[in-house]
Amino acid sequence: MGLRRFGRLVKWVGGNGRRPFSTSSSSSCDEMMVQQIASGKSLNLYSAINQALHIALETDPRAYVFGEDVSFGGVFRCTTGLADRFGKQRVFNTPLCEQGIVGFGIGLAAMGNRAVAEIQFADYIFPAFDQIVNEAAKFRYRSGNQFNCGGLTIRSPYGAVGHGGHYHSQSPEAFFCHAPGIKVVIPRSPRQAKGLLLSCIRDPNPVVFFEPKWLYRLSVEEVPEHDYMLPLSEAEEFILENWNCGTQIIREGNDITLVGWGAQLSIMEHACKDAEKEGISCELIDLQTLLPWDKDTVEASVRKTGRLLISHEAPVTGGFGAEISASIVERCFLRLEAPVARVCGLDTPFPLVFEPFYMPNKNKILDAIKSTVNY
Amino acid sequence: MALSRLASSSSSGSNLLKPLTSALSFTPSLRRPISSAADDSTTLTIETSVPFTSHRCDVPSRTVETTPNELMTFFRDMALMRRMEIAADSLYKAKLIRGFCHLYDGQEAVAIGMEAAITKKDCIITAYRDHCTFLGRGGTLLQIFSELMGRQGGCSKGKGGSMHFYKKDAGFYGGHGIVGAQVPLGCGLAFGQKYSKDETVTFALYGDGAANQGQLFEALNISALWDLPAILVCENNHYGMGTAEWRAAKSPSYYKRGDYVPGLKVDGMDVFAVKQACKFAKEHALKNGPIILEMDTYRYHGHSMSDPGSTYRTRDEISGVRQERDPIERIRKLIFAHDLATEKELKDIEKELRKEVDEAIAKAKESPMPEPSELFTNIYVKGCGAESFGADRKEVRTVLP
Ligand SMILES: Cc1ncc(C[n+]2csc(CCOP(=O)(O)OP(=O)(O)O)c2C)c(N)n1
Ligand SMILES: [Mg+2]
């Protein structure tokens, strides 16, 4: 019974992902009710990912999980218990060789398997960059669809943690958004992480899945225990009334559209709340899938609000915000009432001692909201 | 020979060595036993702990010569490193050190033995476990603790942190965060040295985990092809994070993994074996090109501060190494065996070192944090200007000083 109800939720979230902006209050209530019935345990982000991996291995005997130290649970405990449960043949440690890990995963996937590779930190994905960009992304195209590595999913923790320094903090998503043929997905919270990761693993295209490591323990919400998938390439709009308990109330904002992904969403959400106190109504969109991204949802929102702010941790120059900005200006030029604002990381290497200056924090976003609205 | 090297290394301004010299020559209580048993210039003959094993090259002799002075210096230098790393551990736990921090205790003999065999014109490049290598190259405790705590007085102006120590004037090309990446760089340094024809070599250090990275083999081939004076030093502490060597390497005989490149397996817990091997390797590399030195060593701490270091190995294993192979205890025993100092005298030295470390920490804490404008410096050379956007969307242009 609860399951069937939950099925509705899945369908609701996944089925017609493009919701009207004027979500009526009754449907919000409906969603809340469904969620309360369907909600499972309170989980943090790494446990939600762990659950997704359990389900992926459980539901597909040809799924494999591998990477540096994953059979011991990995640095962030995301793979805890998998080796015990599914055996060393399916969950295994690799040597320290990122290029090898990804190349191996491509081959494994090309043989019709689901290869879930972990790169320990997104900062260490670069030795594998060639395999991802030149092999994984182009395999289907250049073989005229004879071959593909659609079963490949690369998971990797990205982003700041407060004091990670140069090589444990970077957000390299934009590099991968320049490689047609792969998908790039970033979840913002445990519930999204589980549903999106399952979609990525089962998606017939190679996917790079970046996990906001700052939130592994910090972000806790009710996560359905069930096997569910969230759609890729469909942005989700929401304003979280209560982030911590995970109650999502989708509500429209009228004055400005904010677009972000991953850990940045919670920062933006706080800025939205502060802006609201000053009478500015913000619409917040979690892009979730960066490649290929949901232009329609963002466009529709900007057509309504007339203003756009994008925020990400990666340096502003050449960041994915630039792509969003350009596309929206192309589509909504005459509707825009202010230049598109980008509140991003600074154009510096990720710093060790200056992290607070580098980060696109709440106050920077709030200031940008105000100056965009008052333009 | 050993003496002249020692003299040259202490006169080359190594801060690491200076205090000992003074301790030895000015502290009467220390001088007495030494002069009573043996003169500073007496030659002592010592056997290395185990024979070397070689791959495609001769085996250096197990018999090495040393002096009372050198023995005492080794003791002091290694004990200082040990003390420094223990202090860094406490600072990290007190949250005075942020970021990632990897400690070297257990592996001291590699840094010290290598330094004793080479000069500061030779280059060293290593990964992130770099505190002691930097100290060995003549860096000061003050620079180290300042850098660890992100202060202006640090060797990288507080901008690098634990993993990024450098010392240009002593040929220390530092501290690298990406596992394996420093090895091809090291071969590039060696290429430069070959051109300058000044009979210097590069020691490129990497771990047993890094030994599985592909770029290592690319670098080896290049070095062998062009006979570069590159010495690849695999610090085999038997674990790459939580992964034991045998889980990650089909052949954990790292000294043989260069195939066509010669190699030596060395007891990395025996400072004399390390010194002998590095001396041998330098001569070899100058004549014939690259060689691999596999240093069999052990790290007592976990991989980094977030790793207790006891989930993937047993406590018995750790205490066994401490009891049987500890590099400092080995020297302590040799000092007693040759009657060079009493137990109390060595304890006093250790007390002195502890004080030295504490004083450096206190001083480092006084060093100011870097100026915020430093965020924008050293990205490009002077004058390029760094652009950024203020919260008001107005462009902020920072002109570099
Ligand atoms: C390319 C890359 N992959 C992964 C890491 C994460 N990492 C840091 S140290 C390490 C283990 C390295 O072990 P080893 O080479 O044996 O050196 P040790 O730490 O034992 O000195 C790993 C996996 C990294 N820094 N760079
Ligand atoms: Mg190791």
Side-chain angles (χ1 to χ4, degrees):
Chain A
M1 164 89 190
L3 275 182
R4 249 197 63 224
R5 290 273 206 130
F6 180 58
R8 265 183 62 209
L9 169 70
V10 172
K11 197 155 169 259
W12 183 84
V13 179
N16 89 49
R18 204 134 309 124
R19 289 170 300 283
F21 289 112
S22 51
T23 311
S24 70
S25 56
S26 69
S27 78
S28 298
C29 284
D30 196 40
E31 192 218 359
M32 254 169 65
M33 211 181 71
V34 174
Q35 284 193 347
Q36 271 161 14
I37 293 163
S39 61
K41 277 190 204 137
S42 190
L43 284 189
N44 62 21
L45 181 68
Y46 82 75
S47 306
I49 284 164
N50 185 259
Q51 224 180 60
L53 292 171
H54 267 97
I55 292 170
L57 287 162
E58 186 94 74
T59 52
D60 187 346
R62 296 187 71 176
Y64 299 84
V65 170
F66 52 91
E68 290 159 20
D69 281 357
V70 301
S71 77
F72 308 135
V75 171
F76 292 103
R77 317 309 306 151
C78 292
T79 53
T80 306
L82 295 176
D84 288 343
R85 175 79 192 283
F86 300 100
K88 283 191 258 197
Q89 313 303 317
R90 296 181 63 203
V91 179
F92 47 91
N93 289 342
T94 62
L96 204 176
C97 52
E98 289 75 13
Q99 187 176 22
I101 292 170
V102 172
F104 169 87
I106 295 170
L108 188 62
M111 293 296 280
N113 302 291
R114 296 205 187 283
V116 185
E118 176 178 299
I119 297 294
Q120 199 172 66
F121 281 82
D123 310 68
Y124 310 147
I125 206 166
F126 297 108
F129 196 56
D130 175 64
Q131 286 288 345
I132 298 170
V133 172
N134 282 330
E135 302 306 323
K138 303 169 176 51
F139 205 3
R140 189 189 298 276
Y141 188 82
R142 66 170 132 80
S143 68
N145 207 27
Q146 289 179 77
F147 289 111
N148 71 81
C149 58
L152 174 67
T153 301
I154 299 163
R155 300 177 36 244
S156 192
Y158 87 97
V161 277
H163 58 103
H166 317 81
Y167 296 118
H168 294 92
S169 309
Q170 297 175 81
S171 298
E173 69 272 7
F175 288 107
F176 299 93
C177 292
H178 207 56
I182 55 170
K183 293 190 175 184
V184 178
V185 177
I186 307 182
R188 72 170 185 274
S189 73
R191 197 194 318 235
Q192 262 63 31
K194 180 177 170 184
L196 287 171
L197 180 55
L198 280 165
S199 295
C200 290
I201 292 172
R202 293 162 179 170
D203 190 269
N205 300 286
V207 185
V208 180
F209 187 79
F210 287 119
E211 300 165 4
K213 67 169 105 60
W214 203 332
L215 303 184
Y216 271 138
R217 282 165 201 278
L218 273 184
S219 178
V220 178
E221 66 182 3
E222 305 267 298
V223 178
E225 281 181 68
H226 198 64
D227 180 352
Y228 65 96
M229 301 202 296
L230 296 174
L232 304 183
S233 294
E234 284 182 18
E236 190 180 350
E237 297 159 77
F238 66 98
I239 286 190
L240 294 182
E241 285 287 72
N242 192 337
W243 184 274
N244 284 336
C245 85
T247 314
Q248 294 179 20
I249 296 174
I250 294 165
R251 194 178 60 174
E252 78 184 291
N254 291 314
D255 300 328
I256 182 168
T257 300
L258 275 71
V259 177
W261 48 88
Q264 197 56 15
L265 257 290
S266 72
I267 314 283
M268 298 168 81
E269 207 266 330
H270 284 118
C272 290
K273 278 186 185 163
D274 284 8
E276 192 180 24
K277 286 181 204 144
E278 306 192 22
I280 302 173
S281 143
C282 303
E283 187 144 295
L284 183 57
I285 297 181
D286 178 5
L287 206 56
Q288 294 181 346
T289 304
L290 277 70
L291 190 69
W293 63 288
D294 183 358
K295 285 183 197 163
D296 294 345
T297 296
V298 179
E299 179 188 349
S301 175
V302 174
R303 283 200 181 285
K304 184 180 62 168
T305 63
R307 299 176 187 92
L308 174 62
L309 180 152
I310 307 148
S311 182
H312 55 67
E313 273 181 34
V316 62
T317 298
F320 196 63
E323 177 58 35
I324 298 173
S325 171
S327 300
I328 293 305
V329 170
E330 273 167 13
R331 291 177 172 221
C332 312
F333 182 65
L334 292 175
R335 178 67 190 92
L336 284 171
E337 291 172 35
V340 176
R342 288 183 290 162
V343 185
C344 304
L346 303 179
D347 285 335
T348 71
F350 197 100
L352 176 63
V353 281
F354 303 111
E355 184 169 328
F357 301 122
Y358 171 92
M359 294 291 282
N361 59 23
K362 184 190 78 176
N363 286 341
K364 291 186 191 173
I365 296 170
L366 185 60
D367 285 352
I369 290 174
K370 287 195 251 178
S371 60
T372 303
V373 169
N374 298 325
Y375 183 78
Chain B
M1 169 98 191
L3 248 185
S4 70
R5 257 201 316 279
L6 181 70
S8 74
S9 62
S10 54
S11 66
S12 71
S14 158
N15 293 300
L16 180 61
L17 297 171
K18 253 185 230 149
L20 176 71
T21 327
S22 54
L24 276 178
S25 37
F26 303 125
T27 317
S29 67
L30 281 184
R31 254 188 89 168
R32 222 175 303 117
I34 294 170
S35 39
S36 67
D39 191 78
D40 273 13
S41 56
T42 319
T43 306
L44 306 171
T45 306
I46 287 172
E47 284 266 287
T48 63
S49 56
V50 290
F52 298 98
T53 325
S54 78
H55 168 71
R56 287 177 184 259
C57 66
D58 296 340
V59 187
S61 163
R62 260 185 92 172
T63 309
V64 294
E65 292 191 340
T66 182
T67 63
N69 198 352
E70 189 181 55
L71 261 173
M72 294 301 291
T73 307
F74 283 166
F75 175 80
R76 188 189 184 282
D77 292 351
M78 289 198 287
L80 180 62
M81 288 178 173
R82 180 77 48 97
R83 185 62 224 159
M84 179 183 89
E85 293 296 62
I86 308 270
D89 178 274
S90 314
L91 288 175
Y92 195 92
K93 286 177 179 144
K95 291 200 185 296
L96 285 161
I97 298 176
R98 308 311 309 271
F100 284 65
C101 181
H102 309 80
L103 303 179
Y104 198 72
D105 50 324
Q107 304 181 205
E108 296 92 345
V110 178
I112 291 294
M114 183 171 60
E115 283 301 342
I118 64 177
T119 77
K120 302 286 185 290
K121 284 201 172 123
D122 295 306
C123 299
I124 298 181
I125 187 166
T126 187
Y128 41 82
R129 207 178 291 287
D130 60 353
H131 308 167
C132 293
T133 319
F134 175 79
L135 190 68
R137 290 262 91 179
T140 66
L141 289 172
L142 181 57
Q143 288 171 319
I144 289 173
F145 286 113
S146 302
E147 190 59 44
L148 284 173
M149 293 190 282
R151 311 297 172 117
Q152 281 180 18
C155 51
S156 306
K157 297 192 222 160
K159 291 169 81 168
S162 163
M163 305 204 292
H164 307 289
F165 287 11
Y166 304 86
K167 187 166 171 54
K168 195 170 179 197
D169 59 11
F172 183 45
Y173 284 77
H176 295 254
I178 298 303
V179 170
Q182 75 279 9
V183 179
L185 265 69
C187 297
L189 300 176
F191 188 81
Q193 288 171 321
K194 195 176 168 75
Y195 256 83
S196 62
K197 294 197 172 63
D198 58 359
E199 300 290 292
T200 57
V201 299
T202 293
F203 288 77
L205 280 66
Y206 59 97
D208 49 296
N212 300 311
Q213 282 281 26
Q215 49 181 321
L216 220 106
F217 296 88
E218 301 174 22
L220 259 178
N221 179 49
I222 282 187
S223 313
L225 197 61
W226 301 326
D227 298 331
L228 304 182
I231 296 153
L232 273 66
V233 182
C234 177
E235 288 188 270
N236 181 6
N237 57 18
H238 305 281
Y239 297 90
M241 293 185 87
T243 303
E245 55 178 351
W246 59 271
R247 290 180 192 270
K250 178 68 185 172
S251 160
S253 295
Y254 298 99
Y255 69 107
K256 287 187 192 164
R257 285 177 63 173
D259 181 13
Y260 44 84
V261 174
L264 260 194
K265 182 166 177 172
V266 184
D267 179 2
M269 303 298 264
D270 176 0
V271 62
F272 288 106
V274 174
K275 180 182 166 189
Q276 181 82 335
C278 290
K279 190 171 148 247
F280 174 88
K282 182 172 171 178
E283 282 162 14
H284 173 97
L286 285 173
K287 255 189 266 153
N288 314 303
I291 179 168
I292 298 177
L293 299 180
E294 176 185 347
M295 302 290 180
D296 177 359
T297 183
Y298 202 81
R299 72 164 147 74
Y300 293 149
H301 261 92
H303 168 72
S304 68
M305 300 312 297
S306 51
D307 167 23
S310 51
T311 51
Y312 47 85
R313 54 185 192 178
T314 62
R315 290 193 190 279
D316 284 352
E317 178 184 302
I318 306 170
S319 59
V321 176
R322 276 189 191 276
Q323 274 163 25
E324 284 154 36
R325 298 183 58 210
D326 186 85
I328 302 179
E329 292 316 304
R330 196 184 147 72
I331 296 300
R332 197 191 303 270
K333 279 182 209 142
L334 279 172
I335 289 173
F336 294 154
H338 290 90
D339 210 12
L340 300 178
T342 64
E343 207 160 319
K344 173 160 186 316
E345 283 162 341
L346 293 191
K347 284 258 168 335
D348 286 346
I349 292 181
E350 286 173 306
K351 256 191 227 149
E352 189 59 36
L353 296 174
R354 179 188 281 252
K355 224 178 100 197
E356 221 177 283
V357 167
D358 290 346
E359 283 167 9
I361 292 172
K363 250 191 162 167
K365 284 180 181 164
E366 286 166 21
S367 178
M369 304 298 274
E371 290 298 327
S373 63
E374 285 286 336
L375 176 56
F376 294 100
T377 63
N378 312 131
I379 301 170
Y380 298 106
V381 288
K382 208 172 164 173
C384 274
E387 273 177 16
S388 186
F389 289 86
D392 57 357
R393 280 184 297 98
K394 290 207 183 89
E395 190 181 294
V396 178
R397 188 175 286 268
T398 317
V399 178
L400 302 184

